[in-house]
Amino acid sequence: MTRRIPLVLLIGIAAAALASGVAGCKGDDGFSSASSDTDTFDHEFALDERCPLEDRYGAFEIGHHPLYSNVRGQVKDGVNPVTIWHPEQEAGNCQLLRKIHPECDPACGGGETCDHDGECIPFPSNVSVGTVNVYGLEQDISLEPNAVGDYEDNDVPSPPFAPGEQILLHAAGDEVSEFFLDAVGVEPLELVDDEWVIVRDEALAVQEDLEIMWVPADGGATIMATLMIDQHGNSPVTMVCYFEDTGSATIPKSLLQTFTEWGVTGYATGNLYRQTFDSTETSLGCVDLQLFSRVQAALSVTNHDPTVVPGD
Amino acid sequence: MIRVQNPAALLAAVAIGLLGCGGQEGWSCVIDEEDPDYSPQIGCRDDYDKLASDPVSASISGARSVKVVIDRADGDSVYFQNSVKYPIHYDFASTHLSGDGLPVVPLLSDFNVTEYYSPDRRFLLGAVNYYEGADVWAYEIAPYDTATADMIERAYRLVRKNAYFGKGLYFHPTSDAVSAEADKLPDSVPIITTDELFEGIDYQALNLGVSKGQLRFLRAQDLETEYLTFRDIVVLDEVPNDISVCTGIITQEFQTPLSHINVLSQNRGTPNMALRGAFDDSELRALEGAWVELEVGAFEFSVEEITKTEADEWWESNKPADVGVPDMDLSVTDLRDYDRILDLNRFSLGRALDVAIPAFGGKASHYGAFAWMDPEVVPHPKAFAIPVFYYAQFMEQNGFDERVDQLLEDSQFCDDPAFREASLDELRQDMKAAPVDPGFEEMLLSKLEADYPGIRMRFRSSTNAEDLDGFTGAGLYTSKSGDPGDPAYPVMDAVRTVWSSIWFFRAFEEREYRSIDHRSVGMAILVHHSFPYEESNGVAVTANIFDSQGLEPGYYVNVQLGDYSVVLPDPGVTSDQFIIHYEMPGQPVVYIDHSNLVPAGESVLTRAEALELGAALWEINDFFKGTYGPFTPDHFYAMDVEFKFDDDWGGGSDLWIKQARPYPGWGG
C-alpha cells in the first residue's frame, strides 16, 4: 500500500552549493551543504509516494530509533522476489500482507533466487550510486558504499533531524544516474500506551479492535503501524496501517483475527512510525526515501504465550 | 560405564587437542575465559569445547558445533561464537557486531532475508562441526544458504587459517543445492558427504530417555517366539518390524525415526537407540542378564549396572501412568460421510474432536478435519465412517464381549503370555467367522453401491483409544480392502478383520502396559477407496524432528517407491528420508538417506512432488496448530501425516493425504 503524503510542502527550491566559506551553515533560502563546494544542482522539493514493492530497486532511510539514529540505504540491480509481499486482506486503514516463497524446480543454485514465475534469476546485487550527500539534517553527511555496497552512517545525532526541516538526499550517480530524494523532519514519536494487546477468547476468536494511542504532532506526517509475526525470523505475514497524525487509531478486529490465525509462534512485534516518504525513478528503477521516528510497542496476544500451550 | 559414539576417535581427538596446546604446528590455546562470548581463533580442543553446542539440527548423531561469523564489512573479521550463549548467528551479530562504528544489524526478519541469500550480504555465516564418530572436522553452511562457491571457499579458507584443526578441515554440503554449488569448489577444498559421515558414526539416538531394566540379547527373528517382559532392555541384531512391550531397545542396525519400533517406543515413552556392533559389543555382553540403567541422549548414551533393588524402586516410581479412554458413544448409528464428522460450525476443533472420537474413533475423526481444508492443497479421498456402535453390536450378538470378560478374569491368561497370545488368536479367528448383523450389512452394501460403485474400498481401524494424551495407539491395528464386486475381497471379511484386530496380541500388550481397560475400547472404521497401484507412499511429520529448538523449521518426510512400507521395511531396504524446509526461501530439500529401490542418484519424489507435499503439510500443520500446538522449545508440536502419490484417480493431483494425527515427539 502506498499513500501520498498530505502535506503542502511542494515548494520549489533551488538548492545550490554554497561557497566553501559558509560550509556547515544553514542558508536562509533552502538547502545548504556542509561539504559540497563543487556540487551544483537544481531541484524542486516535492514528496512523492513510496515505490511499489515490485519495482523497488532501492531504498534509503533516515531513521530515529529508540536507542540510536542512522542513515542507510542501498540500490540493487533487481528486486528480491521475497520482498514483494502479497496483499491478503484489507480493512479500514490496514492491510495484511503475506510473504510468498516462490517455487523453482529444479532448485536455484548459488547466487540465484527464485522469482514468482518459477524461474531462477541472479540474486539482486548492490550497485553504486556514487557519493550520497544528505543536506538539512542536524549534521550534513556524505556516504560512500562500504565493503558490501551498502551506504550507512550510524554516527549521527539522535534524532538526526529537526521537525519541519526540509531534507535533501542527492546521489551523484555512478552505475545509476544521478537522483534526488526529499524528506521533511518529523517530531519524535511518543506512545501514550506502549502495550498493545490483541484480546482473544479461549476459542481464539479476537474480541475487539486494537486501539493505539500516541502523542499527536502538527506537520501532516503520516503514522504507520506495523505488526509482525516473527516465527524465528520467518515472518509469514505482516500488517501495515497508515493513519493521520491525530493521536489515536484503530486496527480492526477482523484483520487481527486473520493475522493471529496465521500463527503467533515466536514473538510478535509492533512498531509505530511517524514518517515522510519520497521516491524517484532512476535509470535502473524506483528508489525511495523514508524519514521516520520509530517507537516499538510490546505486542501480546491473549491466550498465547510462546511457552504455554493455548487452551481449547 | 559411560559410552560415547566412538571412544577411540574421541580420545584421538583429545590427544590432538592436548598436543595442540603444547604448541604442535604453532598452535596453542587462545581462550583464557571459562565462558567467552567468542574467539577470533580456535587454538586447541579446549577452546573449541568452550564455544561448542549441540548442532541446531541433529540429523547426524554425535556432532558438536561452533557457529562462525565472518564480517565482510570489517575486513573479513572472523568470529567463532559461543554457540551456547548465542544459539543462532543473529543473536551474536546483533549483540557484538552492530553499531560502534560497524553497520547496524537489522531486525531478524530483515537479517534472514539477506544474510543467507544475498551476494552482497554483510556476513558469511556457517558452523564448524566436529563429528566424533567419524572423527571429522567439517565447515558447513545452512542447507538453504545460497552462497556462491567463491563465498564458500573464502569462508572455508578463513576458518582453516584460524583454527588448529584447519589442515584437516572438510566442507560438508548440507543440501542438494549446496552440494551442486560445492561441485564448483577447487580440489583444495576437500568435501565430505553426508553418506560418508554416516559411515563413520556408530550411535543413533531415536527416542531419548532413561530406563532401568534387565539387559537381554535377542535376534530379531527370535521375537516371534520369545516373550519380552515390560522390564527388559533388549539388544537386537537387526531392526524388527514389531516388538512387544519392553523398557528399552538397542538395535545393531540404524533405524528410521518413523520406523514402527520407534513409534512404539515413543508411545511407550521408553528409550530407543541404535549402536553399530552392539550385539557383539564386549562391554554390553558383560552386562547380559544384569539389571542396568540405560540413558539415551541426543549425542551420547550410557549403560550402567545397578542392583535389582534399585531397578525395582525405579519401576515402582516410573510405572507408566494409567491412560483413561473416553467412553464409547453408542448413540451414533449412521454411516457418516467424513465431511459431517466434525461440527466446526458449533464447536472449536478440539471440542469437535472430543465429541466425535467416542463415536468414530481417532483416525476417522481427525480425517474429518480434511473436509475443512482447501481440497486443492490437501487432496484426500472421499470417505465415510462406520461408528463404533456396530463393533459393540457385533461383540454382543456373538457373545464375544462375555468371552473377553472371561479371559480377563482367567489367571492363566493374565500370567502366561504364550497362553494369552494363543487365546487372543483364537478369539480373532472366531470373530472373523462370526455373522454380522444383517441390517448393518445391508446398510453398508447399499452405501457402497450408492456412493462408491465399482470401487475397491479400504477399511481402516479407528479406535476410541488412540491419539490420547501420551498414547497414540499408532500401528497397533490393521486395515483391509473390500470390494462388493470382487469375490476375492469380501466386504464383510474386511470389516470383521478390522474389528478383530483390536485383539491383536501386540495391541493387547500395549494397552495392558498403559493400564487401559480393554473392555472400554471400541473399533470404528474409516472407509475410502483403496490405492492398489500407488507410485509412492510415505509418512511425514510437520516439524524438523532433528531440531528441538525450532530454529530451522522444516518437515521430515520418509517416502518409498510403490507400496513398499516405510514403517515396516523389509530387511536391508532403505527409504528416502529428507527434511524439506518449506518455509525457507528456496525451499531446500535436505536428504538424510536414500531409497535403495530407485537408481543411485535418483529420488522417490520429484522436487515438484516434494513441494506439493510441503504445501499440504503446511496447511495441515496450520489447521491443527490451535488445538495441539504451537511448537515451542518447551512444547513439541507436529502432525503425523500419511500420504501417497497415485495417478489413477484424477482430480488434478497425484498427491493423496490419508491421515493426520498428533505426533508424540521424540522423548527426552
Side-chain angles (χ1 to χ4, degrees):
Chain A
M1 175 187 282
T2 60
R3 184 164 288 245
R4 181 175 288 277
I5 301 296
L7 294 175
V8 188
L9 284 171
L10 308 182
I11 305 165
I13 293 174
L18 303 178
S20 57
V22 293
C25 299
K26 180 76 176 177
D28 293 333
D29 57 348
F31 296 106
S32 66
S33 167
S35 57
S36 58
D37 56 357
T38 57
D39 294 345
T40 53
F41 44 77
D42 293 325
H43 172 67
E44 182 175 336
F45 183 88
L47 297 178
D48 206 343
E49 295 183 345
R50 194 174 185 177
C51 299
L53 293 179
E54 63 273 18
D55 188 37
R56 195 176 188 216
Y57 280 71
F60 286 84
E61 62 181 42
I62 302 168
H64 170 223
H65 300 269
L67 298 176
Y68 66 97
S69 292
N70 68 354
V71 178
R72 59 190 301 184
Q74 56 187 203
V75 178
K76 294 183 178 293
D77 58 7
V79 178
N80 181 357
V82 176
T83 63
I84 305 172
W85 294 70
H86 292 248
E88 187 80 4
Q89 190 178 340
E90 192 167 349
N93 292 48
C94 299
Q95 193 172 35
L96 195 64
L97 302 170
R98 178 185 175 189
K99 184 192 287 182
I100 293 179
H101 293 301
E103 297 180 359
C104 276
D105 182 13
C108 302
E112 293 182 325
T113 189
C114 185
D115 71 10
H116 290 285
D117 295 324
E119 302 288 333
C120 292
I121 59 172
F123 201 105
S125 296
N126 283 340
V127 294
S128 170
V129 299
T131 301
V132 171
N133 286 294
V134 186
Y135 308 111
L137 298 177
E138 295 289 340
Q139 160 191 310
D140 287 350
I141 61 172
S142 183
L143 302 171
E144 299 291 341
N146 67 15
V148 293
D150 290 337
Y151 291 84
E152 183 159 358
D153 188 345
N154 304 311
D155 189 18
V156 298
S158 189
F161 41 69
E165 283 296 326
Q166 295 168 3
I167 293 156
L168 174 67
L169 182 149
H170 171 237
D174 185 8
E175 294 174 86
V176 180
S177 58
E178 174 189 46
F179 62 85
F180 301 91
L181 289 162
D182 299 323
V184 177
V186 298
E187 290 276 358
L189 184 56
E190 185 181 349
L191 281 170
V192 173
D193 182 356
D194 64 359
E195 292 195 1
W196 295 357
V197 182
I198 299 175
V199 179
R200 299 191 302 182
D201 64 14
E202 289 193 354
L204 308 183
V206 174
Q207 296 297 293
E208 54 195 54
D209 295 338
L210 175 61
E211 305 288 343
I212 57 177
M213 290 188 289
W214 65 93
V215 178
D218 295 331
T222 299
I223 297 294
M224 179 177 77
T226 62
L227 276 61
M228 182 170 280
I229 295 170
D230 182 65
Q231 296 198 352
H232 305 297
N234 274 337
S235 307
V237 291
T238 187
M239 194 185 310
V240 181
C241 308
Y242 293 94
F243 305 112
E244 292 185 7
D245 198 351
T246 60
S248 66
T250 299
I251 299 177
K253 72 176 185 181
S254 60
L255 221 52
L256 295 169
Q257 181 67 46
T258 309
F259 177 73
T260 55
E261 284 174 358
W262 275 88
V264 281
T265 307
Y267 297 90
T269 56
N271 283 283
L272 201 66
Y273 300 77
R274 174 176 285 132
Q275 61 181 9
T276 68
F277 272 128
D278 190 22
S279 63
T280 187
E281 274 302 317
T282 70
S283 57
L284 203 56
C286 189
V287 177
D288 62 26
L289 169 64
Q290 180 188 12
L291 177 148
F292 59 85
S293 174
R294 175 179 73 90
V295 290
Q296 185 162 339
L299 178 64
S300 60
V301 184
T302 58
N303 284 312
H304 163 69
D305 183 295
T307 60
V308 174
V309 182
D312 186 29
Chain B
M1 86 178 171
I2 298 292
R3 292 283 305 272
V4 294
Q5 301 73 13
N6 186 337
L10 178 60
L11 289 172
V14 170
I16 291 169
L18 291 172
L19 287 171
C21 288
Q24 188 186 53
E25 300 181 30
W27 282 103
S28 60
C29 296
V30 297
I31 301 176
D32 296 327
E33 295 174 69
E34 276 308 305
D35 193 23
D37 280 7
Y38 66 92
S39 174
Q41 291 189 316
I42 294 178
C44 65
R45 179 62 193 252
D46 278 352
D47 288 351
Y48 183 83
D49 288 341
K50 285 177 178 174
L51 302 169
S53 70
D54 299 339
V56 169
S57 185
S59 59
I60 303 175
S61 293
R64 298 287 288 168
S65 183
V66 171
K67 285 192 159 48
V68 188
V69 175
I70 295 165
D71 190 351
R72 301 166 79 194
D74 188 27
D76 281 348
S77 303
V78 177
Y79 301 89
F80 294 98
Q81 73 188 56
N82 184 324
S83 303
V84 175
K85 276 187 178 177
Y86 305 100
I88 58 177
H89 292 112
Y90 178 80
D91 292 342
F92 175 78
S94 59
T95 303
H96 286 282
L97 306 178
S98 187
D100 287 337
L102 293 172
V104 172
V105 173
L107 297 173
L108 176 59
S109 53
D110 294 330
F111 182 91
N112 281 353
V113 167
T114 58
E115 297 306 315
Y116 297 94
Y117 308 103
S118 169
D120 300 315
R121 65 184 80 177
R122 175 180 164 191
F123 300 112
L124 300 177
L125 305 173
V128 176
N129 285 3
Y130 177 60
Y131 293 94
E132 293 183 343
D135 189 20
V136 166
W137 296 93
Y139 176 69
E140 300 177 356
I141 60 175
Y144 39 83
D145 193 320
T146 59
T148 62
D150 286 346
M151 295 160 75
I152 295 170
E153 181 183 356
R154 179 72 184 151
Y156 169 87
R157 296 205 183 287
L158 286 166
V159 171
R160 180 185 166 104
K161 179 182 173 185
N162 287 287
Y164 79 100
F165 48 74
K167 286 188 175 177
L169 186 67
Y170 288 89
F171 178 67
H172 170 220
T174 49
S175 66
D176 287 358
V178 175
S179 186
E181 196 63 22
D183 288 343
K184 303 172 189 170
L185 290 169
D187 292 342
S188 56
V189 180
I191 292 172
I192 189 162
T193 65
T194 299
D195 287 346
E196 288 168 336
L197 284 172
F198 262 118
E199 286 172 11
I201 289 165
D202 60 8
Y203 171 60
Q204 180 192 30
L206 276 303
N207 197 47
L208 311 186
V210 178
S211 185
K212 296 180 181 181
Q214 198 164 22
L215 196 65
R216 295 184 62 185
F217 284 71
L218 284 173
R219 296 196 178 278
Q221 63 186 32
D222 295 337
L223 291 175
E224 296 176 8
T225 54
E226 296 268 350
Y227 292 97
L228 299 173
T229 75
F230 294 174
R231 300 184 60 189
D232 285 341
I233 293 173
V234 61
V235 182
L236 296 158
D237 61 335
E238 294 176 355
V239 179
N241 279 340
D242 198 4
I243 190 166
S244 56
V245 180
C246 58
T247 198
I249 298 173
I250 301 171
T251 63
Q252 183 164 250
E253 289 182 336
F254 276 19
Q255 307 167 32
T256 60
L258 299 184
S259 67
H260 184 59
I261 69 164
N262 194 46
V263 171
L264 290 174
S265 298
Q266 290 169 336
N267 287 344
R268 300 165 182 165
T270 52
N272 178 26
M273 58 174 271
L275 179 70
R276 293 192 208 277
F279 202 68
D280 299 314
D281 184 286
S282 58
E283 292 181 81
L284 284 178
R285 278 287 181 182
L287 296 172
E288 186 171 2
W291 292 93
V292 298
E293 178 186 86
L294 168 67
E295 180 169 3
V296 174
F299 302 97
E300 61 183 20
F301 74 96
S302 67
V303 182
E304 291 187 50
E305 185 168 5
I306 59 174
T307 65
K308 183 175 187 304
T309 303
E310 288 175 307
D312 290 344
E313 289 171 355
W314 183 86
W315 175 252
E316 282 306 311
S317 56
N318 288 277
K319 277 193 292 195
D322 294 359
V323 173
V325 174
D327 291 339
M328 286 183 268
D329 179 356
L330 301 180
S331 67
V332 178
T333 59
D334 60 304
L335 303 182
R336 191 164 298 183
D337 290 331
Y338 81 107
D339 55 358
R340 293 190 303 113
I341 290 177
L342 297 181
D343 187 353
L344 298 188
N345 290 322
R346 288 181 60 199
F347 303 122
S348 68
L349 177 59
R351 176 68 186 139
L353 286 166
D354 288 343
V355 170
I357 286 173
F360 297 106
K363 186 177 293 170
S365 297
H366 283 89
Y367 195 95
F370 293 155
W372 299 84
M373 301 179 197
D374 183 346
E376 291 189 2
V377 179
V378 185
H380 53 273
K382 184 176 76 169
F384 67 96
I386 301 170
V388 72
F389 170 84
Y390 294 101
Y391 167 81
Q393 179 190 61
F394 175 75
M395 294 295 284
E396 183 184 2
Q397 287 179 348
N398 292 285
F400 292 130
D401 49 359
E402 291 175 9
R403 185 162 153 189
V404 167
D405 287 344
Q406 290 165 4
L407 286 173
L408 294 174
E409 289 164 11
D410 183 337
S411 59
Q412 186 181 5
F413 179 85
C414 294
D415 298 338
D416 182 348
F419 180 77
R420 189 160 61 240
E421 182 169 17
S423 299
L424 290 172
D425 184 58
E426 189 179 354
L427 173 63
R428 289 199 312 278
Q429 298 313 316
D430 290 345
M431 288 176 71
K432 288 181 183 177
V436 172
D437 182 80
F440 164 65
E441 181 172 356
E442 182 182 348
M443 181 170 62
L444 176 58
L445 293 176
S446 296
K447 172 81 172 170
L448 295 175
E449 183 179 354
D451 295 346
Y452 302 88
I455 296 175
R456 184 182 301 174
M457 304 298 287
R458 193 71 174 168
F459 294 78
R460 304 176 65 197
S461 62
S462 181
T463 73
N464 60 327
E466 56 195 53
D467 304 330
L468 304 173
D469 187 22
F471 186 77
T472 70
L476 298 183
Y477 310 108
T478 198
S479 301
K480 183 82 172 173
S481 294
D483 186 344
D486 188 343
Y489 294 92
V491 168
M492 299 321 293
D493 279 4
V495 171
R496 281 183 289 247
T497 297
V498 175
W499 280 343
S500 69
S501 70
I502 208 167
W503 299 108
F504 274 148
F505 178 67
R506 68 185 186 217
F508 185 94
E509 298 293 282
E510 295 292 336
R511 293 195 300 265
E512 188 72 12
Y513 181 63
R514 300 306 302 270
S515 303
I516 291 173
D517 179 0
H518 302 281
R519 285 166 289 208
S520 68
V521 180
M523 180 70 81
I525 300 178
L526 173 66
V527 189
H528 58 63
H529 71 65
S530 68
F531 294 88
Y533 307 112
E534 69 227 49
E535 275 68 48
S536 59
N537 78 101
V539 183
V541 175
T542 62
N544 178 355
I545 60 175
F546 305 108
D547 168 20
S548 60
Q549 299 300 304
L551 298 175
E552 290 196 347
Y555 306 141
Y556 171 74
V557 179
N558 195 340
V559 62
Q560 185 56 286
L561 196 67
D563 62 354
Y564 291 95
S565 174
V566 295
V567 294
L568 301 170
D570 291 335
V573 173
T574 60
S575 57
D576 270 4
Q577 292 183 62
F578 61 82
I579 300 285
I580 177 167
H581 296 277
Y582 187 75
E583 295 172 75
M584 297 287 196
Q587 295 154 313
V589 175
V590 180
Y591 275 87
I592 298 158
D593 200 3
H594 291 278
S595 168
N596 56 8
L597 299 182
V598 298
E602 295 184 13
S603 55
V604 175
L605 297 186
T606 64
R607 177 168 168 80
E609 288 173 330
L611 291 173
E612 189 179 4
L613 175 62
L617 296 176
W618 192 97
E619 183 88 0
I620 292 166
N621 185 72
D622 193 60
F623 191 87
F624 285 101
K625 186 160 52 183
T627 301
Y628 296 121
F631 182 104
T632 73
D634 301 315
H635 175 74
F636 187 92
Y637 160 66
M639 297 300 292
D640 174 338
V641 178
E642 290 186 15
F643 66 89
K644 293 182 186 294
F645 279 87
D646 188 340
D647 62 8
D648 293 331
W649 297 95
S653 172
D654 296 342
L655 172 65
W656 295 95
I657 302 297
K658 288 176 55 202
Q659 182 174 326
R661 64 170 162 226
Y663 181 71
W666 72 326

